[in-house]
Amino acid sequence: MLGALNLYALASDLCVFSIRIAAFAFMFNRVMSEVILFLFGFVVLLLAFSTGAAALKTDVHGFETIPDCVATLVDIFMGTAHGGDFQLMATAPTLKMLVLTFYIFS
């Protein structure tokens, strides 16, 4: 009888452990799907604004080609852009509004 009670206690402990693993796996899938959706949306937003900024044909350094625009907008999104980069945009108010709109939407 003591052996049966011990077996039941061990089995219930494994059941709780199994439920914890299942809950972790479920939440991991939910979080990763949200992260993937965010990254997909960010890439679409980044490509849209980069092609728009490259189409303006300004002489501002960092906005000449689409890859340059992508790199500059990622720097702005990450917060690693320098203040001098924003001062150069004073000569192109349309570009300044485009970057400001990108910053708001991202």
Side-chain angles (χ1 to χ4, degrees):
M1 183 159 164
L2 186 59
L5 184 62
N6 193 17
L7 179 65
Y8 178 72
L10 288 174
S12 67
D13 186 40
L14 286 176
C15 181
V16 170
F17 182 70
S18 173
I19 290 173
R20 285 185 181 175
I21 289 177
F24 175 77
F26 176 72
M27 288 309 297
F28 183 78
N29 280 342
R30 295 281 302 243
V31 169
M32 286 310 292
S33 68
E34 292 295 324
V35 167
I36 288 170
L37 283 173
F38 166 76
L39 289 176
F40 177 72
F42 180 68
V43 166
V44 168
L45 189 72
L46 187 64
L47 287 176
F49 278 92
S50 294
T51 54
L56 289 175
K57 299 290 184 193
T58 60
D59 293 331
V60 178
H61 177 68
F63 291 98
E64 291 91 10
T65 63
I66 293 175
D68 290 340
C69 293
V70 168
T72 305
L73 290 177
V74 167
D75 283 345
I76 290 171
F77 174 75
M78 299 295 273
T80 59
H82 301 288
D85 296 339
F86 295 109
Q87 290 175 354
L88 290 174
M89 283 188 249
T91 60
T94 310
L95 180 64
K96 192 182 220 180
M97 289 304 295
L98 186 127
V99 170
L100 179 65
T101 307
F102 170 78
Y103 192 71
I104 290 170
F105 282 127
S106 66

